[in-house]
Amino acid sequence: MNGGKTILILGGGVGGLVAAHSLRERLGREHRVVLVDKSRQHVFAPSLLWLMVGWRGVPQITGDLGRLPQRGIEFVQAEVLAIDPAARKVTTSAGEFAADYLVVALGAELAPQAVPGLAESAHWYYDVGGAERLRGALAKFDGGRVALVVAGMPYKCPGAPWEGALLLDYYFRQRGIRDKVEMSAYTPEPLPMPVAGPVVGKALKEMVEARGIAFSGQAKLTAVDPARHESVFEGGKKVEYDLLVTIPPHRCPQVVKDSGLAGETGWVSIQPRTMATAFERVYALGDVTMIKLANGKPLPKAGVFAHGQAEAVARTIAAEVMRAGKPAEFSGEGYCIVETGYGRAAVGAGNFYTEPDPAVALQLPSRYSHLSKVAFEKYWLWRWFGGRLPGVEALADRVVFGKALPTA
Ligand SMILES: Cc1cc2nc3c(=O)[nH]c(=O)nc-3n(C[C@H](O)[C@H](O)[C@H](O)COP(=O)(O)OP(=O)(O)OC[C@H]3O[C@@H](n4cnc5c(N)ncnc54)[C@H](O)[C@@H]3O)c2cc1C
């Protein structure tokens, strides 16, 4: 391969942003790194929970992708309309692009309309608009029945529904109205975070129940009746609510499905360690993919995995383009910091690629873990959108993430 190469990255979320920076730092300037996203706003999703309870405003949890050119990354604000993976050609609302390497990191879409009545009646904190509307609804809420419903599988961040439940409990306590609020949580899963095994699942369930939140597993939402304020579950069970908070169903973006990249699961199938798709020099990573683990369950959709995968893909592409360094693999390591209120957080961490089950352990909530979560939020926005301090960045990358990959 001679001459300058173009690496085209679709999506400027966690995976796309990390891949773009890592590539830019590894490739010579004759090579182009181009990132396409329909939005200029990068959202640090873990902080949506804090946005929901009013502890953060939108500017504190977002970054401007329009600043990427300052770092040598071309940014195209446009919607991806069609992907031809065999030809590595992409049609966008801003024109056509051809690539030597294509990285698809378009994430998962929220689809509340997939359950009849849900979009009209429920609140959610899974995007900026939803979290802001829920904050407004919470401010007006003085008591009643709060139903927290996971409306479909798979969904992003297996800890987030339980984090949301614990944080809402704390929020109501802070407002002095907890005794007037009845809280219950429903999910199609048997236990919270089943991928991490029954020990972690039971520990999280106990944490939720200890705060007076009733937990119902294997509860599959089939419809919502907005007029009656009722959630209807498979088998006919009906639950009345005054405030319905949902984790909406997720789906693979239609443009990805139409491209032929999505497999039987409806998500992109990739090699679990290299993120290679069935198409030459086309990689996919993060929430848009589905990786089946040894225990048959899917690898959860989480930023920590999108991040590790993006690093590995960037190293592999850079090694090939620069003919230096080695290709890299994603190790399966991940962690999740679950905010529990009272200035504390619990950490679940481990390797999800171990057999026969992921080796994941949950640490009890601590003040230290909460402070790590706050520090990580600040680090994230500074690392990709703040002023450049290259030496400090390299050190912080290693300290904050305890990187699974060796320095290359
Ligand atoms: C409330 C909440 C809390 C979370 N907490 C955690 C946590 O604590 N830890 C953790 O690891 N993960 C957490 N996550 C999950 C994490 O945010 C996602 O797993 C992660 O963002 C996935 O990265 P991605 O790059 O695959 O997709 P995304 O970050 O979703 O990025 C996809 C990008 O593609 C763009 N896009 C989509 N379609 C198009 C199109 N047609 N044209 C152009 N652009 C398009 C979107 O605008 C978006 O910028 C949380 C998620 C939520 C919602």
Side-chain angles (χ1 to χ4, degrees), residues 194-270:
V195 68
V199 175
V200 171
K202 277 184 200 147
L204 270 172
K205 178 174 175 271
E206 278 165 20
M207 234 181 248
V208 167
E209 287 174 341
R211 299 274 283 273
I213 305 163
F215 173 87
S216 297
Q218 282 166 337
K220 190 165 183 292
L221 185 73
T222 54
V224 178
D225 185 336
R228 290 172 180 260
H229 281 218
E230 261 176 13
S231 303
V232 185
F233 293 87
E234 204 169 69
K237 179 178 163 139
K238 292 183 178 167
V239 172
E240 290 183 8
Y241 63 83
D242 297 299
L243 181 67
L244 177 60
V245 181
T246 191
I247 308 298
H250 289 32
R251 67 179 178 206
C252 182
Q254 192 60 41
V255 66
V256 177
K257 284 192 184 166
D258 293 344
S259 71
L261 277 164
E264 282 169 12
T265 59
W267 304 88
V268 183
S269 305
I270 52 168

Side-chain angles (χ1 to χ4, degrees), residues 10-17 36-39 41-49 65 78-81 105-110 125-127 156-157 160 163 250 253 255 285-288 301-307 335-338 373:
L10 307 183
V14 172
L17 199 57
V36 183
D37 200 297
K38 61 185 172 190
S39 169
Q41 185 188 54
H42 170 90
V43 180
F44 181 68
S47 300
L48 287 170
L49 288 130
L65 293 173
E79 177 148 15
V80 176
L81 301 172
L106 290 172
E109 279 178 4
L110 303 183
Y125 49 85
Y126 259 52
D127 56 20
K156 304 185 218 192
C157 190
E163 199 175 7
H250 289 32
V255 66
L285 53 91
D287 289 355
V288 78
K301 298 193 182 300
V304 69
F305 298 131
H307 187 140
Y335 67 89
C336 175
I337 309 180
V338 179
K373 192 163 175 113

